[in-house]
Amino acid sequence: MVDADVKTKCFISEKKQPYLYMKVSLTIDGEDVGQLTPVQYKYLIMQALKETLGQIGASYTVDLLKLSSNGVALLRLPRGYSDKLWAALTMYGATPAKRRCAFRVLQVSPFLMGLVVDSRWQQ
Amino acid sequence: MAAPVYTDMNVLRQPNLSDVIDLGIELGFEQFAINYVVSSLQGGKGKKNEKLIVPPPAEVLLNDESVRSIQKRCASFKQLSRLTAVLEDASNTHRLGAADIQAYDIIAVQVTNEKTFQLACSTLDVDIICFNLSESLGFSLKRAMINLAAKRGIHFEIVYSPALQENTVKRNTISNAMSLIRAGGGKNVIISSGSEQPIDLRSPYDVINLARLFGLSHSQAKDAICRNCRAVLKHAESRKTCKSVVSVIKSSNLSVKEQWVLHQKNTREDSKKTDADMDSSEEDNTEDAHGNLMDSDCEAEMSDALEEPEKKKIKL
Amino acid sequence: MATSIQNATFLFHNYSLGERTDKEQSVVLNRYFNHALTVILPGASVIPHPVLECFSDQLAYRLHRLPLYRLIEIPFIQAFVKKGAVHMMSVNTKLDTSDCVAVTPSGCLLLHLTKDTYEQLGLEARKQTYHEKISDIYVVQINLLADHFRPGKKGYDRVLWCLKDRLDLAFNFLVAWEPHDDKVCSSSLGVYFAEKCPRVERVAQEKTSRVFTSLPCPKIDAVQPEGSEDGCHYQEVFEWLGAVACGIDITSEDTGPDSYTSTLACPDPKYNCPRGCVFQVSGFITPQTVLKVWKTLREYTACHPRKLADQPDCAWVCRQPRHSQAGCTQFLCLWR
Amino acid sequence: MVRFKNRYILCEVVFPDKKKEIPRIDTKSVYFAVRDAILDAHGDYGLGAVQFSLSVKYLNIKTNIIIIRVERKHLNIVASSVVFIKKVASHNIIMKTLHVGGSIRACQKFLISYHKKNLPLLYSGCETEEQRAKVMQSIVEACDDLQNLTSRTKLTAPDSSSALNNLMSDD
């Protein structure tokens, strides 16, 4: 409902946004990542966190917002710990089944809207 | 000199090298140093006189054809040859000065104990010092030594790909990288993949973030895969041009775009006293020509490439 | 990309329908380079046709390897910079490691140079600072519209010489032109550059639209956007909009506060929207087009009061020298 | 010259199982217990960050007081992990963090005042007259010390090991 007598206002948020959103792609050596269910995908993320950051690292809420069929996922991380969580994903190199794997971050944004399109165009 | 681009200073020479580089380019790297590792500077074990055989850099690098096909996709792609020698002891280090080793773009040594570490930091003429980060070092990294090496323009390398596989290795890598960064204050560090397989590679931004985990600030982390790599290249270049960052070329060899230097000089001769003795008719050097326009900046660049005051200037 | 996450401020403008101000226009017009535009219309089953029409007459070109000195040639300045708004920026250049160039509608040529290029080029520049930190980026600003910027003057000759004779600077550009005079076709820019660089091609606009059914939507309190009993906080709403634009399914059982995979949910209070649509255009979009879309939507929303239209114009600051906050992406959320 | 700043965590090992004799623990087993706890709570990053500086500096087997050294920057990692230690060398234990100090001396000072405060508790637990008299004497001494403390602003640090041993021998 739009009120006619609402005055034009500008709000400026705090500098630190509560979340960090990122687009990551997962590759597993010799395996089709498209077959992974969201639960499996999330499990791998939790493994990655647990390995590098331990139980405390695994206790941060990392949300798997969307999983595409090519192993690309949208994640939401708490802002304050995003550096460590990101590094933990980077450092993850082998799945529990001893297959080599890699999480690679494609895009990062403090707003979910920023991940709608990638403006770094490829030719 | 090329602008600082994202560089991976350590890609191992092995059969599926081109796959690694393909992926590296896709991820955003533009420069790669292809690494050839010499496990010992001594040749064969049996005979004393048997010499170490080092392949010429051309054999290590990708051939022209594949370079051209890569450059179609990424115009700024560049490959560099790098030789890493593992130093078990202080003997045979003179081999590093031999022509076949000097033919490589970058020369690195992997130190294994305190003695070789000190030697490499203080006297050896190398560009990069690396460690086996997957085990505990067994000696302490002295700040004085690291500062000395930094002063000589030598960089320290952190290789991340071994850490991706095993937990103990990961832990030791983090620990060693942190103590290296703590001792050196985060200066003169480069981070490279050391990858054998494409799956070991991470994108530049991942690496920057990883470097922050090791204790670098954001700008230092970026420098670690960007500006410091260029500094390594400049240092390597200086090794070839009689230990100096000033190189001399004949004025007749100047390209058309650089010819202005000569005319500029003639009109401005009186403005610069220091340049008066450099007669521009015979020889000139491009670096100094910029000095005419922007002294301070040029000097800043020189010092960031090589912080070695006594070698900085050369009498012409 | 990486630097962008350090500090990101979210600006939220709350406009009333009744009030007609120029403020909103300036907000849109000051974001020169736009890459994509997303329109979310809960309640509408199709994208209104007038919205689609807004994009039809905007042309954008991609120029391959255009030498930089072409941008300071007098014919270009006379014919285009002075007679319209030129939106031009280099592409496939990373703001943090390579040189970037842009021409703004205000007639300013901006060169974002790395230290190396700066030192070789020999033009006066100031050091770029952001977040109180000094970076290694140097910014050269050249006002193309200045009276004294013409051949024969010292300044012009110097710039021309630097760009033409000292360094071979050539970039790939994206360019769009909005002439002041409506009778002039904006395609003449493409024709002009066809002779100046190896290849010119039109930038295709990618349009996608999606229809959703039965979606929980947050309620909005226009008086108190910072959250109240019958309205969600604007940041929550913005997140929700992002989720809808990204095509995230927030209704499935997998998501919710107790879920293993994701805890994202529609903020409270909410209502269920039976249908809606998402429309997205990507390409090189001028602020004028954005404004046009917005004005169209305003009329549209006026007839359907229960509408929520927003345009996060994903301002492409990624390589936008002018507003560069180290490659951060700014958003503009206009809102009814 | 910048030096590496450390923090020292003073902990008391409490044995929840009521047993006659107190189990013996050694520095090594405590070190590994701390190490495993860090690995579990903070993973490879946590351990990697502290393993350079982590060490068990002091262990008193009579009072079960330990001092753990760690680099100042990563104090949190260790301090938060110590809480999770349940076992040392197969004995059930609880780690009770008493104090965090910038030097061993600061910890020692704290420890002495801590023990002095706890002397009355010991008194009530004494079984023979002889012990009781000894503890009483210690309490009197401690009170004197405390008075001295208030009268003099500067504390002359007693020889740490002997002072501790004096207190311990009362047990």
Side-chain angles (χ1 to χ4, degrees), chain C residues 63-126:
Chain C
L63 314 176
H64 288 261
R65 312 290 310 155
L66 179 76
L68 205 49
Y69 67 87
R70 296 285 188 197
L71 297 182
I72 56 162
E73 283 177 338
I74 291 304
F76 172 69
I77 297 174
Q78 291 291 354
F80 298 100
V81 182
K82 287 193 176 162
K83 290 187 179 157
V86 176
H87 304 81
M88 191 168 190
M89 65 181 289
S90 55
V91 275
N92 301 111
T93 50
K94 285 183 185 135
L95 188 65
D96 44 359
T97 54
S98 48
D99 308 322
C100 300
V101 182
V103 181
T104 63
S106 52
C108 196
L109 172 67
L110 287 158
L111 310 177
H112 237 231
L113 304 175
T114 56
K115 199 175 169 185
D116 291 67
T117 324
Y118 164 65
E119 279 165 3
Q120 288 171 47
L121 195 61
L123 281 176
E124 197 187 331
R126 62 181 168 78

Side-chain angles (χ1 to χ4, degrees), chain D residues 11-29:
Chain D
C11 292
E12 186 178 356
V13 183
V14 182
F15 295 91
D17 301 342
K18 297 274 180 237
K19 276 182 195 163
K20 267 279 154 84
E21 78 273 24
I22 296 166
R24 285 290 165 102
I25 48 173
D26 57 354
T27 321
K28 212 175 173 187
S29 57

Side-chain angles (χ1 to χ4, degrees), chain B residues 272-283:
Chain B
K272 281 263 168 223
K273 271 187 187 169
T274 45
D275 288 332
D277 57 336
M278 297 204 326
D279 198 23
S280 55
S281 61
E282 272 294 317
E283 286 176 344

Side-chain angles (χ1 to χ4, degrees), chain A residues 6 8-11 13 15 17 20-21 42 63-66 76 79 108 111 113 116-117 119 121, chain C residues 5 8 10 12 14-16 19 35 62 92 235 239 246 248 260-263 280 312 316 319 331:
Chain A
V6 178
T8 300
K9 258 190 230 164
C10 178
F11 298 89
S13 75
K15 281 209 163 173
Q17 298 298 320
L20 183 74
Y21 302 88
K42 170 85 189 220
D63 291 324
L64 176 67
L65 303 180
K66 187 189 177 185
R76 180 172 76 164
R79 178 70 193 80
V108 185
F111 306 108
M113 213 41 132
V116 177
V117 279
S119 60
W121 280 0
Chain C
I5 57 176
F10 178 61
F12 171 77
N14 188 25
Y15 294 119
S16 79
E19 212 178 352
H35 171 48
R62 181 195 286 271
N92 301 111
Q235 271 182 302
E239 188 185 37
C246 286
I248 294 166
Y260 176 67
T261 50
S262 165
T263 54
Q280 189 178 308
W316 191 14
R319 272 145 294 160
F331 294 97

Side-chain angles (χ1 to χ4, degrees), chain C residues 13 42 75 79 181 187 189 191 215 230 243 254 260 280:
Chain C
H13 297 264
D181 187 358
S187 65
L189 186 76
V191 178
L215 189 83
D230 31 73
D254 287 349
Y260 176 67
Q280 189 178 308

Side-chain angles (χ1 to χ4, degrees), chain B residues 143 171-172 175 178 182, chain D residues 1 44 47-48 51-52 71:
Chain B
R143 186 180 285 238
R171 203 180 308 147
N172 284 328
S175 174
M178 277 181 153
R182 185 175 30 210
Chain D
M1 193 66 201
D44 289 328
L47 189 52
Q51 77 176 6
F52 171 78
E71 195 191 342

